[in-house]
Amino acid sequence: MGPVKGGFKKKRKTTPEKVVLEANVSAAAASASAAAQQEEPIDWWDGFSKRLTGRLSQAKGSDKFESLFRISRKTFNYICSLVKEDFQSKPSNFRAASGKRLTLNDQVAVALRRLCSGESLVTIGDSFGMNQSTVSKVTWRFVEVMEKRALHHLQWPTEEAMIDIKSKFEKIRGLPNCCGAIDITHILMCSSHQVDSSDSIWCDREKNHSMVLQAIVDPDMRFRDIFTGWPGSLKDSLVLQSSGFFKLCEKGKRLNGETIELLEGSEEVREYIIGDVGFPLLPWLLTPYQGEDLSESSLEFNKRHFATRMVAQRALARLKEMWKILQGEMWRPDKHKLPRFILVCCLLHNIVIDLEDEVQDEMPLSHLHDPGYRQQICPSVDMNTSSTLRDRLSLYLSGTLTS
Amino acid sequence: MVKSNWLDRLHTSKGLPIETNLDFEHFINPNTNPNPNSIPKSIPISNSIKPPIPKSSSRSQKDRENPPKENSMFDIMTNVLAELFIMGDSSTRCRVDEKKKPRKQSNPKPFGVSSGNELCLSEVGVEEAIEEGKGVEVEEECGGSPQRPRKKRRTVDCVNNVEVTIIDTSTSGWKTDKVIYRKGNVWRVREETTVSRKVSWGRDKRKASQLDKESGVIKKKKKKKKRKLLLSSPPEVGREEHVILLTEAMMTNLTTKRNVETTF
């Protein structure tokens, strides 16, 4: 009698015949999937909307699609095209309760509904006529594929793109050579009342269980850099310090582009980003002046600084508004999966901007991304390089800078 | 004093004399001997009914004669009765615990992470240490053999380790697994060196032994030294990889130091 373990392993070995078989199976599955798609009505949405039940079925008119998925049909189709290859290369066996196999569009619709509504798996399952576990699996698959296929929508700008970004920032309130606005928000998590010692680290200063999301935003409210996964108990300044962006900047590998002269013959101004008083004042990160007896130029700088960094607050507020799964609806989420959900929501946020989706124009421009959270204040430490830069900028903005 | 019949029968079955001055307390806890000269831990048990002579010499002799099985049976019986009636006498339970201790020590095992009792105790230990500001010893080396650091890491690993998945678009991999743990009143971070979060200890151990055979020990030592240097160096970029979660006071210090450093 041969070894049992060996026998089991042999079964797992992939033989050439099996490769051919698998190829045939996948080809057959792909053709089945294509056939299933062919069986659909000419417009997928016509058939899909008829299958909706409950509250979702009551929405009527052309706005029904947008109200359901928070994106236009054009953006939806683009997202489908992004994930199509992966979804079809490994055909799934996800089925509706009726036994009908879910098409690519069905799966994308389910995942998007889950992300944008934040409704429970049961609610979405009931609305779309499928099991809640199917909703969960389909959503997670979508997240994994989006991470792989849509990353190019969230990246630090190239030199050419940075020129445009600087120009747009300057147009807001005149800050020259500004490359981004940084802010931090808290992604709330529902949690049980019984908190063990490991959970206490997730409890932030407002006594909520949360995960932090640090984002650097461009003037179009596009995320250019995100950092998430850390517990909510971390202070903003510490989140920054632990981020890769901070390290790159300290090493001079980021925000090291073109410098400008404010006046002819004056000292050059390097690239920088702006953030609120929760962040430390650094040579590449300018924060507002703190204190009461501020000079006119300092007050003027603070005003402009506030107006400019509003893009970051609005971007985070819109992110949470559009993708409600980030509003603390998830009940005791897997803390390893939540950052990936956050990332995909940020990617979707950027896709909407990149595709110039009209849906975003209809959304209210709120800047309250962390309601109920007090402003954190990082101890102000006077620092020659950064304070000199800030002083020169404030003088420049108030028109009193001399070379 | 009137005694119940069942107690008499119990006395008889255990070979104890039925005396008028011997009450239930005496049976449950024979150590409550009024004679202060007697040895408290000796147990007067015999198969035959003999008058109880509280002499230490005769007791010790009987102890030697009595098989240990009977002693343990008596212990169990005593323990059960004590728990049933909640006598309020902690000495009874303590005695049973004391009996267990030598058994554990005679067969020593390396401290296991999965030990439930120890986890509970260590939690208390950690909390106390933090309250007193003593801090907790933590083995800083990561990715090494699991057997060596186990003793030092146990208290923190059991209770305060929090695994997190970090998404950072400024890093090459974007996604890293890290472990946050507490050292005293300072939270620290170390990177998960393994690919998967759930890697068994055994697998690590095997890898380590192979490395040892291939003179990998020297390499490891070098790695450890480098790590120590990093930790002892002033707060630079390399250090923050490991120490990022600080108390407010320490954070202020760090910020100040950083600011000073970056000032030219």
Side-chain angles (χ1 to χ4, degrees):
Chain A
M1 188 179 162
V4 178
K5 284 182 182 174
F8 181 73
K9 279 185 181 174
K10 273 182 186 174
K11 273 186 179 177
R12 292 204 158 195
K13 279 186 180 175
T14 311
T15 58
E17 293 81 19
K18 197 172 180 184
V19 170
V20 173
L21 181 67
E22 282 176 354
N24 289 337
V25 168
S26 61
S31 62
S33 174
Q37 283 184 354
Q38 283 171 4
E39 286 170 14
E40 291 275 312
I42 298 170
D43 186 14
W44 159 81
W45 174 240
D46 289 342
F48 187 81
S49 58
K50 284 173 189 166
R51 296 204 301 269
L52 296 174
T53 57
R55 189 172 53 84
L56 295 185
S57 63
Q58 291 165 8
K60 286 179 183 174
S62 58
D63 293 338
K64 188 175 178 180
F65 188 92
E66 281 81 3
S67 65
L68 232 66
F69 302 114
R70 302 292 181 97
I71 53 172
S72 68
R73 187 69 194 277
K74 180 185 73 174
T75 311
F76 180 85
N77 289 341
Y78 173 73
I79 292 167
C80 287
S81 72
L82 275 179
V83 300
K84 183 178 179 183
E85 193 180 326
D86 286 77
F87 270 62
Q88 290 185 347
S89 65
K90 286 183 183 175
S92 64
N93 200 23
F94 297 132
R95 290 177 185 277
S98 61
K100 194 184 177 215
R101 186 192 290 269
L102 297 182
T103 63
L104 166 70
N105 286 13
D106 290 342
Q107 294 180 51
V108 173
V110 169
L112 285 175
R113 180 65 193 168
R114 170 88 173 123
L115 295 177
C116 76
S117 71
E119 287 174 349
S120 69
L121 297 171
V122 177
T123 309
I124 294 172
D126 290 345
S127 303
F128 287 74
M130 61 188 68
N131 192 291
Q132 57 171 312
S133 69
T134 307
V135 177
S136 172
K137 286 173 189 169
V138 165
T139 310
W140 184 243
R141 192 177 184 210
F142 177 78
V143 167
E144 286 183 314
V145 176
M146 282 293 285
E147 276 183 334
K148 192 175 161 189
R149 295 290 172 190
L151 281 183
H152 60 278
H153 283 282
L154 202 164
Q155 57 187 359
W156 190 249
T158 58
E159 281 185 25
E160 293 77 31
M162 190 59 91
I163 294 167
D164 186 42
I165 286 172
K166 288 177 186 176
S167 166
K168 283 182 176 173
F169 266 123
E170 192 163 2
K171 275 180 189 169
I172 296 174
R173 289 302 291 271
L175 283 178
N177 223 25
C178 177
C179 298
I182 189 171
D183 207 347
I184 284 179
T185 195
H186 293 82
I187 308 297
L188 300 185
M189 300 179 280
C190 289
S191 189
S192 60
H193 292 293
Q194 290 177 339
V195 179
D196 61 26
S197 59
S198 66
D199 265 2
S200 63
I201 195 171
W202 298 95
C203 190
D204 57 35
R205 64 200 295 246
E206 307 298 341
K207 310 296 178 199
N208 298 318
H209 279 77
S210 64
M211 183 178 281
V212 291
L213 164 63
Q214 175 187 281
I216 298 166
V217 178
D218 73 10
D220 295 323
M221 295 199 288
R222 196 183 281 107
F223 294 116
R224 289 299 189 170
D225 184 281
I226 67 159
F227 179 57
T228 186
W230 288 115
S233 58
L234 257 75
K235 284 179 167 255
D236 290 359
S237 54
L238 294 176
V239 175
L240 174 71
Q241 279 182 21
S242 54
S243 68
F245 183 82
F246 180 90
K247 284 159 193 156
L248 287 176
C249 289
E250 290 289 290
K251 286 176 186 170
K253 291 179 179 175
R254 188 153 285 180
L255 296 175
N256 56 350
E258 201 178 339
T259 57
I260 58 161
E261 280 184 358
L262 295 176
L263 292 173
E264 199 176 334
S266 69
E267 205 174 329
E268 292 185 329
V269 171
R270 62 165 294 171
E271 290 183 340
Y272 61 91
I273 58 170
I274 53 172
D276 62 28
V277 289
F279 295 101
L281 177 66
L282 297 168
W284 47 268
L285 171 56
L286 298 187
T287 57
Y289 287 97
Q290 295 181 51
E292 291 180 356
D293 298 326
L294 294 177
S295 63
E296 282 293 318
S297 59
S298 302
L299 287 170
E300 180 63 23
F301 175 85
N302 279 3
K303 273 185 196 172
R304 291 169 185 261
H305 188 280
F306 177 78
T308 310
R309 72 166 192 271
M310 189 67 78
V311 289
Q313 296 181 30
R314 283 180 178 159
L316 291 170
R318 176 173 287 181
L319 176 78
K320 287 183 172 180
E321 178 60 31
M322 271 192 92
W323 309 103
K324 286 201 165 61
I325 201 166
L326 305 181
Q327 285 190 353
E329 305 288 343
M330 292 178 85
W331 175 251
R332 299 183 74 178
D334 183 338
K335 294 182 182 73
H336 297 286
K337 284 185 175 179
L338 184 56
R340 298 171 72 179
F341 273 97
I342 295 169
L343 169 65
V344 169
C345 289
C346 290
L347 292 172
L348 290 168
H349 170 98
N350 280 6
I351 287 171
V352 168
I353 295 169
D354 289 343
L355 268 68
E356 297 175 350
D357 197 321
E358 298 85 9
V359 174
Q360 59 180 329
D361 301 330
E362 295 159 14
M363 295 197 67
L365 269 181
S366 167
H367 63 277
L368 296 172
H369 57 84
D370 254 354
Y373 277 77
R374 289 164 290 164
Q375 173 66 55
Q376 293 187 27
I377 296 173
C378 185
S380 179
V381 182
D382 198 15
M383 200 175 137
N384 285 338
T385 314
S386 44
S387 65
T388 307
L389 172 62
R390 188 171 64 177
D391 291 343
R392 276 193 289 120
L393 277 174
S394 66
L395 291 173
Y396 167 76
L397 293 170
S398 61
T400 54
L401 181 69
T402 54
S403 60
Chain B
M1 184 181 174
V2 181
K3 279 187 186 177
S4 60
N5 291 331
W6 67 270
L7 193 56
D8 292 345
R9 284 199 298 278
L10 198 59
H11 280 197
T12 312
S13 67
K14 285 294 170 187
L16 292 171
I18 305 166
E19 286 188 3
T20 51
N21 62 342
L22 193 62
D23 58 359
F24 184 76
E25 195 72 28
H26 273 83
F27 179 76
I28 294 299
N29 188 10
N31 296 331
T32 55
N33 200 316
N35 187 359
N37 296 325
S38 64
I39 300 168
K41 286 186 183 178
S42 58
I43 305 161
I45 297 175
S46 173
N47 285 335
S48 59
I49 301 170
K50 288 178 184 176
I53 308 163
K55 285 181 182 176
S56 60
S57 59
S58 63
R59 276 179 184 169
S60 59
Q61 195 181 350
K62 278 170 193 170
D63 283 348
R64 270 181 261 124
E65 287 168 8
N66 284 333
K69 192 182 175 183
E70 271 197 16
N71 279 343
S72 62
M73 280 293 289
F74 184 79
D75 285 341
I76 292 164
M77 193 70 182
T78 314
N79 196 22
V80 168
L81 283 170
E83 285 191 357
L84 272 174
F85 291 95
I86 314 173
M87 298 303 292
D89 187 3
S90 60
S91 65
T92 312
R93 290 182 191 181
C94 285
R95 195 167 59 84
V96 177
D97 289 342
E98 282 166 10
K99 277 282 172 186
K100 281 183 182 174
K101 271 184 184 173
R103 196 165 68 240
K104 281 189 176 176
Q105 287 169 357
S106 63
N107 185 21
K109 281 182 180 176
F111 190 94
V113 175
S114 59
S115 170
N117 291 335
E118 295 293 346
L119 190 144
C120 197
L121 287 169
S122 62
E123 186 165 16
V124 173
V126 168
E127 292 301 328
E128 281 176 355
I130 288 162
E131 278 172 16
E132 292 164 13
K134 288 175 185 172
V136 181
E137 283 295 319
V138 183
E139 183 65 45
E140 290 294 337
E141 188 186 10
C142 60
S145 169
Q147 283 202 333
R148 276 187 292 122
R150 189 176 280 181
K151 273 206 165 183
K152 280 192 170 182
R153 290 170 62 165
R154 68 185 191 273
T155 53
V156 175
D157 279 355
C158 294
V159 182
N160 288 315
N161 266 12
V162 181
E163 287 183 16
V164 289
T165 297
I166 304 298
I167 301 279
D168 190 348
T169 55
S170 287
T171 57
S172 56
W174 281 51
K175 197 166 54 190
T176 49
D177 286 348
K178 300 200 178 191
V179 177
I180 305 174
Y181 60 97
R182 192 156 56 181
K183 184 177 183 182
N185 55 358
V186 179
W187 286 93
R188 286 172 179 253
V189 178
R190 70 165 181 265
E191 285 214 30
E192 277 281 82
T193 49
T194 52
V195 176
S196 170
R197 285 198 306 275
K198 291 177 182 174
V199 178
S200 65
W201 284 102
R203 198 173 164 187
D204 277 348
K205 191 178 170 184
R206 218 175 296 133
K207 275 185 183 174
S209 62
Q210 279 175 357
L211 280 171
D212 287 349
K213 282 177 189 173
E214 295 163 11
S215 308
V217 180
I218 302 162
K219 284 181 184 176
K220 258 191 212 169
K221 280 181 180 174
K222 280 181 182 174
K223 192 181 173 185
K224 191 178 178 181
K225 269 190 178 179
K226 195 179 174 184
R227 177 97 180 204
K228 279 185 176 174
L229 278 172
L230 271 174
L231 287 165
S232 58
S233 61
E236 290 173 355
V237 177
R239 175 167 180 167
E240 270 128 31
E241 192 59 37
H242 310 287
V243 186
I244 62 149
L245 310 173
L246 308 170
T247 57
E248 194 164 352
M250 293 186 76
M251 184 209 70
T252 314
N253 287 340
L254 189 65
T255 313
T256 314
K257 281 176 187 173
R258 172 161 299 286
N259 291 338
V260 170
E261 268 180 13
T262 44
T263 308
F264 297 104

